[in-house]
Amino acid sequence: GNSVTQMEGPVTLSEEAFLTINCTYTATGYPSLFWYVQYPGEGLQLLLKATKADDKGSNKGFEATYRKETTSFHLEKGSVQVSDSAVYFCALSDRGRSGGSNYKLTFGKGTLLTVNP
Amino acid sequence: NAGVTQTPKFRILKIGQSMTLQCTQDMNHNYMYWYRQDPGMGLKLIYYSVGAGITDKGEVPNGYNVSRSTTEDFPLRLELAAPSQTSVYFCASSLRQGGVSDTQYFGPGTRLTVL
């Protein structure tokens, strides 16, 4: 079956530090990969996504590259801000061999990021 | 657009009580989902719907029921509340377009405590 493994948190950084949150996956088909972010007291919102191998998703200074050879989708940001403090979820949506999405997301457990001023 | 709205935001139930968590979306999305989020865990899919009148079980459906009589609404029913159902519940929706990967849009959540 499908699974997503992301690095255990919590992660605590100082403002302007470099961020990496590791994510690896197991999928039976051709997955699309996502990073969702959950700010305190809110629901999840899409941060970025990539739909095929070697695609790079980017948004708000965050980037992640879909690496099929290492089954990874690590999240990076060059300089974090206090406002980036949130829980980050890696997720996959597995497309079958026919190309259609199976529309169900498999989530990792989430990584809590705290950025101190 | 309001997006995905959920009510109530918070609720405390006694064991054995029943309640319905409401979810409405105004984006004309055909797919809707219910998840639960337990502390330190990712989201687990409870039920989902691919359109009005069509629902199916996810990973953790026991103790819950759903219905989808309209495109907009997807209520989640707890019939006999148990402490194991203490969780944060998120409703989500997405627009399925052929084989393109869908972005799911989430509501703000309902925090439920069963005592």
Side-chain angles (χ1 to χ4, degrees):
Chain A
N2 298 335
S3 67
V4 174
T5 303
Q6 58 182 107
M7 64 186 286
E8 297 278 334
V11 174
T12 302
L13 296 174
S14 297
E15 206 164 24
E16 299 183 2
F18 184 84
L19 169 70
T20 300
I21 301 177
N22 290 338
C23 172
T24 57
Y25 67 89
T26 302
T28 54
Y30 302 93
S32 294
L33 302 172
F34 305 81
W35 278 101
Y36 279 82
V37 59
Q38 184 180 29
Y39 297 104
E42 298 183 10
L44 281 72
Q45 54 186 275
L46 179 69
L47 180 60
L48 53 84
K49 70 179 182 182
T51 59
K52 61 183 186 297
D54 298 326
D55 268 2
K56 178 185 282 188
S58 61
N59 186 27
K60 300 182 180 180
F62 291 89
E63 293 182 340
T65 301
Y66 187 159
R67 302 284 189 203
K68 187 177 179 182
E69 64 275 15
T70 54
T71 61
S72 65
F73 193 54
H74 305 321
L75 182 68
E76 297 182 336
K77 186 175 186 183
S79 176
V80 293
Q81 305 300 312
V82 172
S83 58
D84 294 327
S85 298
V87 181
Y88 292 82
F89 292 93
C90 186
L92 72 83
S93 172
D94 197 358
R95 290 174 290 156
R97 294 189 183 277
S98 65
S101 168
N102 77 356
Y103 49 76
K104 286 185 278 186
L105 287 173
T106 300
F107 286 89
K109 292 185 177 182
T111 302
L112 173 63
L113 169 67
T114 301
V115 181
N116 295 318
Chain B
N1 282 352
V4 179
T5 57
Q6 293 182 237
T7 56
K9 291 190 188 307
F10 305 93
R11 184 74 184 268
I12 298 175
L13 284 181
K14 295 182 180 178
I15 294 171
Q17 287 186 318
S18 301
M19 78 164 293
T20 299
L21 282 67
Q22 301 293 344
C23 175
T24 300
Q25 54 91 10
D26 63 358
M27 297 175 283
N28 203 30
H29 285 173
N30 45 356
Y31 284 45
M32 296 187 75
Y33 314 81
W34 274 106
Y35 294 91
R36 58 177 289 171
Q37 182 184 29
D38 299 319
M41 303 296 290
L43 278 69
K44 300 287 188 186
L45 183 65
I46 304 172
Y47 271 96
Y48 66 98
S49 168
V50 303
I54 307 171
T55 63
D56 206 349
K57 296 177 180 179
E59 296 176 77
V60 289
N62 291 344
Y64 307 94
N65 278 300
V66 294
S67 59
R68 183 99 182 268
S69 57
T70 66
T71 300
E72 295 78 20
D73 300 309
F74 190 40
L76 178 71
R77 179 83 178 161
L78 283 71
E79 290 293 350
L80 292 171
S84 60
Q85 294 177 305
T86 294
S87 190
V88 181
Y89 292 84
F90 289 101
C91 180
S93 70
S94 66
L95 180 64
R96 176 78 188 279
Q97 293 176 307
V100 176
S101 298
D102 311 314
T103 296
Q104 292 190 17
Y105 295 83
F106 286 78
T110 294
R111 185 175 295 275
L112 175 67
T113 302
V114 182
L115 301 174

